[in-house]
Amino acid sequence: MLSDDLFAEAERQLNICNSCRYCAGYCPVWPALELRTQLTVTDVTHLSNLCHDCQDCFTACMYSPPHEFAVNPPQVFASVREETYGSYVWPAEPPAALRGRRGVLAAFLGSAVLVAVLALLMGESSVVDGSHTRSPYELIPHFTLAVIVLIPTIFTLLVMARAAWRYWRDIGGTLAGLTDLAAWTRTFGQAATLRHQTGGQEGCSYPDGEPAGARRRFHHMVAYGFLLTFVSTVSAFILETFLDSAPPYDVVSVPVLSGTIGGVLASVGCVGLLVLKRRADVLQSTESMRRADHALLWALLALMLSGLAVLVLRATPVFGPVLGLHLATVIVAFAIAPYTKFFHWVYRVLSIQYDNRESRRRASA
Amino acid sequence: MAEVHRRAPDRPERWDVVVIGGGNAALVSAMSAHDQGARVLVLERADRTFRGGNSRHTRNIRCVHRSADDYNTGAYPYDELWKDLCGVGTGPSDEDLAELTVTESESVPDWMSAHGALWQKPLAGTLHLGRTNRFFLGGGKALINGYYRELERRGIPVWYEAKVESLEFDGPRCNSLVVDVGGKRVTVTATAVVCASGGFEANLDWLREYWGDAVSNYHIRGPRFNDGLVLRQLLDNGAAVAGEQRGFHSVAVDARSPKFDGGIATRIDSIPFGVVLNKKGERFYDEGEDIWPKRYAIWGRNLAGQPDQIGYCVWDSKVQGLFLPPMYGVYKADSIAGVLDAMGLPTEPGRTTIERFNAGAPADAAGRFDPGGLDGVATAGVVPAKTNWAQRIDTPPYYGITVRPGITFTYMGVKVNAGGRVVLEDGSTMENVFAAGEIMSGNVLSSGYLAGFGMTIGTVWGRISGREAARHALR
Ligand SMILES: Cc1cc2nc3c(=O)[nH]c(=O)nc-3n(C[C@H](O)[C@H](O)[C@H](O)COP(=O)(O)OP(=O)(O)OC[C@H]3O[C@@H](n4cnc5c(N)ncnc54)[C@H](O)[C@@H]3O)c2cc1C
Ligand code: SF4
Ligand code: SF4
């Protein structure tokens, strides 16, 4: 939940913005703010997810700190997102075993052991003893593998669906709003291109107050890279289950190509974002948000690198252990996903959708 | 990131053109001189964070344009801008220079775009000025940031925290400047100098010479750096005065705003929707005289003339929400006496004044009230009358806010000729000293003000003075 103090601070700053409105041309936050002169917690939450942290308003603001008005919208919005994200997730806390850095490590070791035990019990000795082939299903039979990966995946999807619905209701969304295809077309276009992260024509002022498109490009690499690796996994599953085509797949095949390209893209993107973060001005974000960003980026990086290792090393004797580590990473990553920043895109996409409907109403009014 | 330009030079060097100031007029002068091929140095008194003078608080500029475009909703021909200019204050002070300003304004937007400016499309909140004025994307500080980036790209050095303390003259020629650079005194030599250091609105002692102790209750809307030190130097060295000496532009600001640098956000727009009382609990001016964009700039003066330079604006729940919410919030109570008390005004005679006002307001006001234009809903038998939007203040909760004069800028500056050269009292000119922006805006308007024209004057004259200074230096 949004604390009273943070709401009061957001309200203080946004009241100044509402008496100023110089930033009206930068992003959808500003026209939406003009419609909300008596701010509520819901308004502030919605606006905070519309803000894509491009920093243009901060750079343009004559009241940004150290001015005594200390107006810093990207920071106050980041704090609001951070405080509210958790409140839509149920169960609100990760299972006790997974909490904190130590919990993640323990979960990872546990999953690794689980995979190893399953491999020893069910796997073909060729993989385990290194005389190998290149199919994962020789490590763990297809069905078992599907089950142990699907359980955390389905868990995450359910938690996500519930969070999405609660968020949507909270910002005043209706069922009609969710089925508004015309608005969804715009929404997905804007989300897919990260339109709002470009701010005004200036381009993103992040990380050092001068326009630069670097962060947007890296974010694209992570998002699309991740999607590609997802395509890789799903296509492999489909090939095996429905088309009777068993791995190992050729280099020129959907799973290998999409996995390789996606893995490389996302890894480069993660590293790029981590480097930008080191350079960025701490003034505009919050310390714990930076930590949450780092956690997600490192988790993704681990996922991508272990996945790539599987692809590259599939013809070598270490294939079995590497695959085991990757599987353990996948299991843990999905299990903790609801508690990392991984869900941020859900809230953002919903707020964009809400805003698209609102601005259409405004335009026709 | 810009190099830190605070370093004082270790070896004396002669610059072609030195520009004093770091706001709009200064940066335009610097780029204009550089366009001519001059070696330029910019001296800005503020630090990097607070650079940009009053210009960092602006949002739009008014220029002649023959047709609508992406950023203006319609044409604004020469004749119309000229007419508007003649309609404010006492009209143009030097007709030739004012005409030159209007003529030159037409090429300003393209020039600005070519030098780093970005624009905002007309939006709901800016529509009433969308035809005549162009809005800077992100406002004046964003514009200034773009200009500083352009300076950096061109390699024009800027020294921050560089306060020009005096201009050293040899007859009509300025040979050097004494500059305090981050605490170290440095002599800067230049072949030509452009003074673009703004007005003297932040110099309370200077204002006190004209306005006495009332100044203690004035708020200065821009930075504290515009103290007119360079203007004083020019006047002391024989420059002729342009513009009304005691004149300043001012508006009503929230009495709780800071002494300096409150900018646009402290401005109060509630006045036409209610009544304004002075410290004695009396009304003193027609709150509904004209539409607000035409009248907001009268209220600084109105308040400055009242006891203790304070006003108490009161309205009721019928009109609450029709204007921008003040940044510090409003006082609110269930009775008129309650809201006066909350603002620190004795209940009487304020309550009686409002009762009398209510008695004079037309009974059918609610049906005719129209905040979108002059509705002619006027009081009868009340002095002073309220001639528009005179609804009774009778529906709780009641709201109020305290207001004070907020000084935007001063009018008095130095006289220049058509080439931007500073003119001396005997009618001759300084040899190598030019001026641009607020410091010479009195040549165009000696009193009164047209929204967006301050930036026009700064850009037109920055271009002229920068160019002429460079030509002088490179001749
Ligand atoms: C809140 C507010 C809103 C406004 N909005 C608009 C608007 O929308 N449109 C419009 O046209 N006008 C607007 N104005 C008026 C406008 O700001 C001025 O007309 C314009 O900025 C003047 O530009 P300038 O470059 O001459 O002076 P400034 O921008 O004030 O620049 C003066 C510069 O000189 C520097 N300086 C001063 N003394 C020294 C010294 N001794 N040594 C070195 N440097 C020195 C200062 O630090 C500053 O950088 C507004 C003003 C305010 C206060
Ligand atoms: S961020 Fe600053 S410049 Fe932008 S609207 Fe808010 S107060 Fe105005
Ligand atoms: S998206 Fe950019 S301009 Fe919009 S609120 Fe966020 S930081 Fe400011």
Side-chain angles (χ1 to χ4, degrees), chain A residues 23 25-30 47-48 50-58 73-75 77 81 196-200 215 348:
Chain A
C23 288
Y26 276 140
C27 78
V29 167
W30 305 107
L47 294 174
S48 78
L50 265 188
C51 166
H52 281 43
D53 199 24
C54 76
Q55 319 266 347
D56 274 353
C57 61
F58 177 85
Q75 188 195 51
F77 286 144
R81 287 195 300 271
H196 302 325
Q197 208 184 70
T198 59
R215 184 169 59 154
R348 289 186 172 287

Side-chain angles (χ1 to χ4, degrees), chain B residues 145-409:
Chain B
N145 287 344
Y147 281 168
Y148 275 103
R149 266 198 302 272
E150 178 65 18
L151 254 56
E152 199 188 339
R153 212 178 56 71
R154 294 169 175 229
I156 302 176
V158 179
W159 295 357
Y160 292 109
E161 294 173 66
K163 173 182 169 190
V164 172
E165 293 191 320
S166 68
L167 286 77
E168 305 294 318
F169 280 90
D170 177 9
R173 192 173 68 241
C174 172
N175 282 331
S176 60
L177 309 172
V178 178
V179 191
D180 177 331
V181 189
K184 198 172 150 194
R185 186 152 300 169
V186 177
T187 302
V188 175
T189 51
T191 311
V193 178
V194 179
C195 301
S197 48
F200 63 96
E201 60 277 351
N203 189 329
L204 301 180
D205 290 334
W206 195 340
L207 292 175
R208 205 167 270 125
E209 285 175 25
Y210 308 123
W211 305 102
D213 280 341
V215 170
S216 317
N217 292 321
Y218 294 174
H219 293 256
I220 313 302
R221 303 175 69 205
R224 57 177 74 242
F225 304 112
N226 285 0
D227 63 3
L229 204 155
V230 174
L231 171 62
R232 176 95 275 164
Q233 287 279 312
L234 293 176
L235 295 175
D236 286 351
N237 283 285
V241 169
E244 195 196 317
Q245 293 201 31
R246 296 155 57 95
F248 57 72
H249 178 277
S250 64
V251 304
V253 299
D254 198 313
R256 295 162 290 183
S257 42
K259 185 76 178 170
F260 291 99
D261 216 29
I264 190 77
T266 61
R267 193 174 114 183
I268 296 302
D269 289 333
S270 60
I271 289 171
F273 296 93
V275 295
V276 182
L277 308 182
N278 63 15
K279 191 132 197 172
K280 294 187 281 185
E282 300 159 345
R283 286 178 60 247
F284 52 90
Y285 196 88
D286 179 0
E287 298 89 347
E289 191 178 33
D290 203 342
I291 57 165
W292 189 236
K294 287 201 181 161
R295 276 298 168 272
Y296 74 92
I298 276 192
W299 279 88
R301 269 310 165 78
N302 288 350
L303 293 166
Q306 295 305 310
D308 283 354
Q309 297 73 46
I310 189 161
Y312 303 81
C313 184
V314 182
W315 64 95
D316 71 359
S317 58
K318 292 199 298 294
V319 293
Q320 169 68 356
L322 293 181
F323 47 88
L324 286 184
M327 64 169 273
Y328 293 105
V330 293
Y331 299 100
K332 179 177 169 185
D334 288 329
S335 67
I336 289 176
V339 83
L340 295 180
D341 188 52
M343 291 191 286
L345 189 68
T347 314
E348 290 303 340
R351 205 173 51 90
T352 313
T353 304
I354 293 180
E355 265 169 20
R356 255 190 260 129
F357 169 85
N358 283 346
D364 65 343
R368 296 191 285 133
F369 173 79
D370 173 14
L374 298 177
D375 63 4
V377 176
T379 53
V382 177
V383 184
K386 183 177 179 188
T387 52
N388 285 288
W389 313 294
Q391 289 199 96
R392 288 177 185 163
I393 299 174
D394 59 2
T395 314
Y398 299 94
Y399 298 88
I401 198 153
T402 50
V403 283
R404 296 242 191 229
I407 315 288
T408 321
F409 53 80

Side-chain angles (χ1 to χ4, degrees), chain B residues 94-128:
Chain B
D94 179 325
E95 289 227 354
D96 292 340
L97 298 189
E99 272 178 25
L100 179 61
T101 312
V102 176
T103 307
E104 285 271 306
S105 77
E106 188 169 356
S107 57
V108 157
D110 285 345
W111 190 94
M112 290 174 69
S113 303
H115 289 78
L118 296 171
W119 306 99
Q120 181 197 295
K121 297 220 160 67
L123 297 166
T126 61
L127 275 185
H128 70 281

Side-chain angles (χ1 to χ4, degrees), chain A residues 15-16 18-22 24-26 34 37 59-64 66-69 200-202 208 210-211, chain B residues 1 49-50 56-59 71 118-120 123 137-138 141-142 145 149 258 261-265 324-325 327-328:
Chain A
N15 273 345
I16 297 176
N18 243 334
S19 344
C20 164
R21 297 185 170 172
Y22 282 10
Y26 276 140
E34 287 186 24
T37 48
T59 313
C61 185
M62 52 281 183
Y63 302 133
S64 46
H67 189 284
E68 64 182 289
F69 290 179
Q201 307 158 21
E202 284 230 63
D208 50 13
E210 302 296 333
Chain B
M1 193 154 298
T49 313
F50 287 107
R56 72 204 302 276
H57 286 289
T58 63
R59 79 185 308 193
Y71 306 108
L118 296 171
W119 306 99
Q120 181 197 295
L123 297 166
L137 183 68
K141 186 178 162 198
N145 287 344
R149 266 198 302 272
D261 216 29
I264 190 77
L324 286 184
M327 64 169 273
Y328 293 105

Side-chain angles (χ1 to χ4, degrees), chain B residues 133-146:
Chain B
N133 292 31
R134 267 182 179 239
F135 286 73
F136 316 133
L137 183 68
K141 186 178 162 198
L143 171 76
I144 293 298
N145 287 344

